[in-house]
Amino acid sequence: MENKKKLTLVIDPDPILHQIANPVKNITPELDDIFNQMADIMGRFDGIGLAGPQVGLSQRIVIIDAGTIATEDKLPPPPEKYMKIINPEIIEMSKETCVREEGCLSLPTIYYNVERPCSIRIKYLNEKGEEIHLDATGLLARCIEHEIDHLNGKVFIDYVSPFKKRLAMSKLKKMKPTK
């Protein structure tokens, strides 16, 4: 493909971050390029997860740095550094919740504690089109939940008080260069 679209990180309040992303209907070779660009962007900004809307794509795709998450959660290294997740669905979540500080590449320098289910079960397609079922806990569960929120038009500051949300958005507006 000669004219590959160069992806860039989208910063809130971009409207794509607040829209429900479209399911991927066909897994094509272009998806490999998209995942590679997403991994590059995630690495440049020290992220552990990135969803399609965060790079301007209304597609239900997510990439997660499973290697870094395994290290942080003190787990053995995964077979692949990156999890490439297509059309994920949470099919079960624990009643037990955990609170942990979250940040987001699309909301730079903003960090708040967010309460989420401690463990989840998801199903998704991998880049080969195979259906995968995965039980996740710890940081991996949190990261997957955070990225699925992006696919559903939600950002993590939607979980904080209206005051904290206004504060965060005010801080972001001050950071944005005027055009």
Side-chain angles (χ1 to χ4, degrees):
M1 183 173 213
E2 293 167 20
N3 291 326
K4 291 181 183 175
K5 180 181 178 188
K6 181 156 174 35
L7 302 178
T8 57
L9 186 62
V10 171
I11 304 298
D12 206 19
D14 191 296
I16 197 164
L17 295 172
H18 303 280
Q19 299 166 2
I20 296 173
N22 298 312
V24 173
K25 291 187 168 81
N26 299 308
I27 297 174
T28 64
E30 287 79 18
L31 211 45
D32 285 336
D33 178 59
I34 291 169
F35 277 127
N36 288 336
Q37 287 189 60
M38 288 174 73
D40 180 57
I41 290 167
M42 189 172 57
R44 279 196 320 246
F45 292 96
D46 294 324
I48 57 171
L50 196 63
Q54 292 181 274
V55 292
L57 299 174
S58 181
Q59 293 185 35
R60 296 186 75 78
I61 56 173
V62 168
I63 190 163
I64 293 183
D65 183 345
T68 298
I69 290 172
T71 300
E72 183 150 332
D73 278 351
K74 296 179 177 63
L75 299 170
E80 303 275 333
K81 178 170 173 51
Y82 295 112
M83 290 176 63
K84 298 170 184 171
I85 299 173
I86 302 165
N87 298 335
E89 289 179 56
I90 296 176
I91 53 177
E92 195 176 313
M93 57 180 67
S94 67
K95 287 186 172 89
E96 179 188 3
T97 60
C98 301
V99 176
R100 184 173 177 161
E101 186 177 73
E102 288 187 27
C104 179
L105 298 181
S106 292
L107 292 105
T109 73
I110 308 293
Y111 298 91
Y112 286 116
N113 284 330
V114 176
E115 183 176 14
R116 295 188 183 272
C118 295
S119 61
I120 58 171
R121 171 173 286 149
I122 66 166
K123 72 175 181 178
Y124 66 94
L125 300 177
N126 66 14
E127 70 274 23
K128 297 173 188 160
E130 301 164 331
E131 185 171 288
I132 307 291
H133 289 250
L134 174 73
D135 292 320
T137 60
L139 183 57
L140 180 58
R142 178 168 296 275
C143 185
I144 290 170
E145 292 170 61
H146 177 110
E147 300 310 330
I148 289 176
D149 275 352
H150 278 300
L151 302 180
N152 293 326
K154 196 167 190 176
V155 292
F156 84 97
I157 61 170
D158 291 339
Y159 291 99
V160 301
S161 72
F163 173 75
K164 287 180 179 178
K165 188 173 181 175
R166 281 193 308 276
L167 199 64
M169 294 312 293
S170 173
K171 186 176 179 182
L172 283 175
K173 283 179 188 165
K174 289 176 186 170
M175 287 179 53
K176 289 192 91 142
T178 53
K179 292 183 181 179

